Amino acid sequence: ASLDEAYARVESRVAVIVLTQFIKTFLVSSFMLLLFQWLVNRHLETMSSFARRLAPERLDEPLALDRAAPARADELDEVVQAINEMRTNLQKSYRDLKAHQLTLEQDIEAATRHLQRAHDDLARHTQELEGRNRELREFNSIVSHDLKAPLRGIIGFGQLLEEGDFDDSQRA
């Protein structure tokens, strides 16, 4: 009976020890989880929210975490610094892009004006050439008519002379 009682006491003590160890481990784990949530997760959520809101019109707002400045920079500070550097680079790139866009728009407007002037000049020259072509056709028609009439007379006299019975004195 004394051995059975010893086993019963050992079993009850093991049960108490296991239960107390379980409760202690649960409490320590919960505390560590809350501590991690307070020290890290809330800042990660702030960074995530900042990244989602990042847009060209909101590049002036730097990322800042709601916490006391640590004695020396830690990993969160490095991530914040990297994100702010990225934001600054994006801001500069966006300004450069807008400047290039403006320059390109001005170049396109100048080229369009130049092409419009060239088109207008071409249209004017085309009309001038078409008018000159009409004048040349009219001149050609007049010259052709004016040259054909005397030539017909000369040809006619030549045929009369060839076909006619003329003696040498009459032909001269």
Side-chain angles (χ1 to χ4, degrees):
S2 73
L3 192 56
D4 288 335
E5 288 175 7
Y7 279 130
R9 274 196 321 248
V10 169
E11 280 181 13
S12 71
R13 285 184 185 239
V14 167
V16 169
I17 291 172
V18 168
L19 183 62
T20 56
Q21 288 298 323
F22 173 77
I23 292 172
K24 182 174 74 170
T25 304
F26 178 76
L27 290 175
V28 168
S29 298
S30 297
F31 176 74
M32 288 175 54
L33 184 64
L34 288 174
L35 188 63
F36 186 79
Q37 167 64 27
W38 175 253
L39 295 177
V40 178
N41 274 2
R42 69 186 180 105
H43 300 303
L44 292 177
E45 289 172 3
T46 301
M47 290 181 211
S48 173
S49 175
F50 179 84
R52 272 191 227 98
R53 290 188 330 257
L54 205 56
E57 61 276 358
R58 298 186 73 171
L59 291 175
D60 293 332
E61 304 170 20
L63 172 62
L65 299 180
D66 181 24
R67 69 182 192 150
R72 62 184 181 102
D74 59 5
E75 290 81 5
L76 288 175
D77 290 324
E78 290 179 23
V79 172
V80 168
Q81 182 180 359
I83 289 174
N84 282 329
E85 287 174 8
M86 179 185 68
R87 179 192 56 81
T88 303
N89 291 338
L90 283 172
Q91 192 175 32
K92 181 186 178 306
S93 296
Y94 186 71
R95 275 195 309 267
D96 292 346
L97 187 63
K98 290 300 258 183
H100 288 300
Q101 180 184 10
L102 181 62
T103 302
L104 285 175
E105 287 172 355
Q106 291 169 347
D107 290 348
I108 288 170
E109 287 176 13
T112 301
R113 285 191 302 272
H114 176 73
L115 286 174
Q116 185 61 46
R117 281 193 302 271
H119 179 266
D120 294 346
D121 289 346
L122 185 62
R124 189 179 75 254
H125 289 304
T126 301
Q127 288 177 346
E128 288 175 8
L129 289 174
E130 286 174 350
R132 288 182 184 171
N133 277 342
R134 277 192 304 278
E135 292 172 1
L136 189 58
R137 280 193 297 272
E138 291 172 6
F139 176 76
N140 187 26
S141 175
I142 292 170
V143 168
S144 173
H145 180 268
D146 287 351
L147 287 177
K148 284 183 183 176
L151 284 177
R152 275 190 232 129
I154 293 171
I155 292 173
F157 281 122
Q159 286 175 347
L160 275 176
L161 285 175
E162 278 184 6
E163 294 172 3
D165 279 335
F166 298 108
D167 59 18
D168 288 339
S169 67
Q170 289 177 326
R171 284 187 185 192

